[in-house]
Amino acid sequence: MKRVFMSVNDCKPGMTIAEDIYNEYGAVIIPEGTILEEYAIERVKKLGLVRIRMYDSTGEMIEASGTDLFRAQYKENLNTVKGVLHDISAGKQIDSQRVDQTTRSILSRINENREIVSCLSEMRTIDEYLYSHSLNVALLCMLIGKWLKFDYTKLKSLITSGFLHDIGKSRIAADILNKPGPLSDEEYEEIKKHTVYGYKIAETAAGVNDDILKGILLHHEREDGSGYPFSMKGENIHEFGKIIAVADVYDAMTSTRVYKAKQCPFDVIEIISVDHFNTLDNKITSVFLKNIASYYLGESVILSNDVIGEIVYINPFNISRPIIKSGNTYIDLVSQKGLRIREVI
Ligand SMILES: [Fe+2]
């Protein structure tokens, strides 16, 4: 069955829902595969959702969704994030209440996968990189935790950890942090300390549990032992550290869009799955990328040979090389090695 994005107003009883719907506390209230009845449609509307994914072959394809609302809320959250991180860099204690408030506010967007995936990289401004990066990583962590089926408490901790993962940078001298050229060995050693500094800052805050602390401390550890601060390997790295690592790498990669030409999401997917194969947790990476890629199903693309087509199938074993339908021809990018997606239009 085909998955389509539908306006909630067009949903009719008897249709099948194609994604889990969460309430504001992160609990699934309508699981994927539920056949809608009138009351379920009303519940979805009450949650304020505008468009949802449905299994329906007659449904209207909707390309973009509630992005304006997402942008407005993003800016609001960014201001809170800014306040919290600013206080910490000014040497103040972590304002646990505001951290909790931000986490809850991020969590309230749990159904907005599509907006998060498509808007994150546009929302960034260069001079506020740390703030938007912290918020983006928190939002990405939420998606990953949701796709890994974490419960509410664990999800909330993961978001907090993602949001605070780089707070240790507030203890690093700005001239090192913002140095445009290559870093000396000493400078790099100093930057690496942000993990331990972050752990120490967060340790003193109320409501920060051990999982949150481990996420902050271990987000630069890598599966093959090439990371820091402890050069830990695979199974020794805490799950939160692994998840934040994926979110961190993904956000840093898509952020190059600010400086360079627009980056194709399928290039990002390919680079993460190939170049980071030995450094990021493969299970987490694959769940993350598969879900990200699925949001581009049905989208039009231009291939490197100028052919225009539509993404009709995401190959779970080769996520960056989907099948494209162009006219009556199906182009499988797995077998057409010379071709790639140049742009999603
Ligand atoms: Fe970091």
Side-chain angles (χ1 to χ4, degrees), residues 133 165-166 169 194-195 219-220 228 248:
H133 176 65
H165 78 285
D166 264 349
K169 286 197 173 160
H194 79 274
T195 47
H219 74 273
H220 284 287
Y228 60 84
D248 192 18

Side-chain angles (χ1 to χ4, degrees), residues 136-156:
N136 291 359
V137 166
L139 286 161
L140 291 165
C141 280
M142 172 174 72
L143 292 183
I144 299 174
K146 171 181 163 177
W147 292 330
L148 290 171
K149 310 222 176 295
F150 282 10
D151 63 31
Y152 173 68
T153 318
K154 201 169 165 190
L155 201 54
K156 206 166 156 265

